[in-house]
Amino acid sequence: MNYWLMKTEPDVFSIDDLEARGREPWSGVRNYQARNFMRDAMAEGDGVLLYHSNCPEPGVAGLARVAGKAYPDPTQFDPKNEYFDPKSPRENPRWVLVDVAFEKRFAAVLPLSWMKGRPELAHLACLQRGNRLSITPVDPTSWSFLLAEARRIERR
DNA sequence: GCCAACGTTGGC
DNA sequence: GCCAACGTTGGC
């Protein structure tokens, strides 16, 4: 079982949207490295930290899980969709997605400003300098630490 | 809005 | 295959 962090812009799709829908096909990933994580390394049941980016308070907003294995992203074939990719052959689709299932909304966002510089999160990929990937692996230490913090603020 | 950092494109 | 130009991401 692996752990992941997936970024989303809350203006577009937030943890509340995921809660309302229950489950969402994670369409629109158009980066090869992120695609490879979904295609090659994700498995049903993997843990997901949902991260709000490009917003007033960036940080981890809640918990989800991978709901199945990767399959072709249908938006790549739709000329009217913003993620349409005319160079993706139907017989050999370039882009895949996984379904993501809602698990929990944290009592408050765990802010990026708080995460920065925490020794427990030293190996968290999304905090490494220059990282812009929308999907990154999460090491078990970081995972446990963030979940513990989420439980702590819930009791507060 | 600025800008650093990185990915992608395309000419050669 | 190199690399300059361009586009995107995302914090601030």
Side-chain angles (χ1 to χ4, degrees):
Chain A
M1 153 123 165
N2 291 313
Y3 305 115
W4 306 95
L5 180 142
M6 298 173 82
K7 293 182 190 173
T8 180
E9 302 191 14
D11 286 356
V12 180
F13 192 85
S14 71
I15 186 75
D16 295 329
D17 296 319
L18 184 60
E19 178 166 25
R21 300 231 208 167
R23 176 180 173 135
E24 183 72 6
W26 212 254
S27 61
V29 173
R30 295 294 180 269
N31 171 285
Y32 289 103
Q33 229 180 314
R35 177 204 67 181
N36 294 347
F37 283 140
M38 290 196 287
R39 190 189 60 188
D40 306 330
M42 275 188 185
E44 183 168 0
D46 280 3
V48 174
L49 297 169
L50 209 79
Y51 178 92
H52 283 175
S53 70
N54 204 9
C55 57
E57 197 187 28
V60 179
L63 204 57
R65 80 189 121 74
V66 176
K69 62 178 181 185
Y71 60 96
D73 180 346
T75 64
Q76 70 194 303
F77 302 125
D78 177 4
K80 291 193 277 293
N81 193 282
E82 63 171 312
Y83 298 115
F84 176 58
D85 182 355
K87 291 190 232 165
S88 178
R90 271 192 184 270
E91 63 280 9
N92 183 23
R94 185 179 290 192
W95 307 111
V96 299
L97 57 72
V98 296
D99 284 4
V100 172
F102 176 80
E103 197 96 338
K104 162 177 261 209
R105 179 185 190 280
F106 290 164
V109 169
L110 307 180
L112 174 62
S113 57
W114 168 84
M115 291 165 65
K116 278 182 176 170
R118 303 252 140 221
E120 298 89 342
L121 302 178
H123 301 295
L124 189 59
C126 75
L127 293 183
Q128 307 309 312
R129 173 190 158 86
N131 197 304
R132 301 183 318 177
L133 272 183
S134 66
I135 299 174
T136 47
V138 175
D139 61 286
T141 304
S142 297
W143 176 266
S144 308
F145 179 67
L146 289 168
L147 289 211
E149 178 65 12
R151 283 192 297 272
R152 200 180 69 73
I153 63 169
E154 204 161 53
R155 289 195 306 267
R156 193 162 58 192

